[in-house]
Amino acid sequence: MIRMNFERIKRIREEMELTQSQMADILNIKRSAYSLWEINKNVIPLYKLNQFCNTFSLSLDYMANLSDIKKRNLNYNELDIKEIGKRIRQARKELKLTQEKLASKFNTTHSAISAYENGVTLIPTLFIVEFAKISNISLDWFCGKTDDKSILK
């Protein structure tokens, strides 16, 4: 099972001197949902992680612990599921992985990978972060926020 830690969301909230309730209001969610992200009981959906990053002008790579650089020159836009799918396909092909091989790394199905690549379904946060790690490609790039594939350390 893929695991990750988004402890940085709590740190950012505290730096901004916001309560969990205030942060939940900003993200248009319930405080209880937000608090579960802070204690790593639930994973932040990718579209909410993107909203969080857009709100505070942060890098997705930073929030996913892929980089220690908080900010970089990024497009703070909404996610484009079709563009994400194209980039997943491009990276998979560059790595010479079949959809089946990528699916096995995520313990999912070939049809799920196909749905992500075709922009039918938004890839889960854990999967896209894991793909960024194994491919050494920026999460910000996968999400169309930059044309730079490199993860800035």
Side-chain angles (χ1 to χ4, degrees):
M1 167 131 177
I2 300 168
R3 293 214 171 259
M4 59 184 318
N5 186 338
F6 281 100
E7 85 277 345
R8 289 181 172 176
I9 66 165
K10 181 178 181 181
R11 191 174 325 142
I12 297 299
R13 178 182 59 78
E14 290 172 343
E15 286 173 10
M16 298 298 170
E17 298 181 357
L18 296 169
T19 65
Q20 284 187 348
S21 293
Q22 290 169 321
M23 185 64 80
D25 287 345
I26 290 168
L27 297 173
N28 197 26
I29 58 169
K30 294 183 180 192
R31 189 207 55 79
S32 58
Y34 177 81
S35 70
L36 291 173
W37 298 342
E38 276 198 6
I39 61 173
N40 291 301
K41 292 289 182 187
N42 284 351
V43 176
I44 306 167
L46 188 56
Y47 72 99
K48 284 297 179 184
L49 179 59
N50 185 64
Q51 182 184 359
F52 184 95
C53 289
N54 287 350
T55 300
F56 299 105
S57 301
L58 298 167
S59 163
L60 287 164
D61 290 328
Y62 174 77
M63 292 308 298
N65 295 313
L66 299 173
S67 171
D68 289 328
I69 298 173
K70 281 186 182 181
K71 301 180 186 241
R72 59 190 284 198
N73 188 15
L74 300 171
N75 302 314
Y76 291 102
N77 53 357
E78 295 302 312
L79 297 178
D80 179 343
I81 191 171
K82 297 280 189 198
E83 183 62 27
I84 293 170
K86 282 189 223 171
R87 290 175 183 230
I88 292 168
R89 178 181 290 115
Q90 179 184 340
R92 177 183 58 77
K93 287 182 176 182
E94 287 173 5
L95 293 169
K96 297 180 175 36
L97 291 172
T98 63
Q99 287 183 338
E100 291 83 4
K101 284 185 181 175
L102 186 57
S104 71
K105 289 184 180 295
F106 295 150
N107 196 25
T108 192
T109 63
H110 163 267
S111 61
I113 299 299
S114 179
Y116 306 148
E117 288 186 357
N118 290 312
V120 174
T121 306
L122 183 61
I123 190 168
T125 307
L126 292 178
F127 288 7
I128 193 71
V129 171
E130 187 63 18
F131 196 26
K133 285 179 185 175
I134 64 174
S135 65
N136 200 31
I137 294 175
S138 168
L139 183 57
D140 290 306
W141 179 83
F142 276 114
C143 292
K145 301 177 93 48
T146 182
D147 290 331
D148 182 3
K149 285 186 180 179
S150 60
I151 298 174
L152 304 179
K153 299 289 179 182

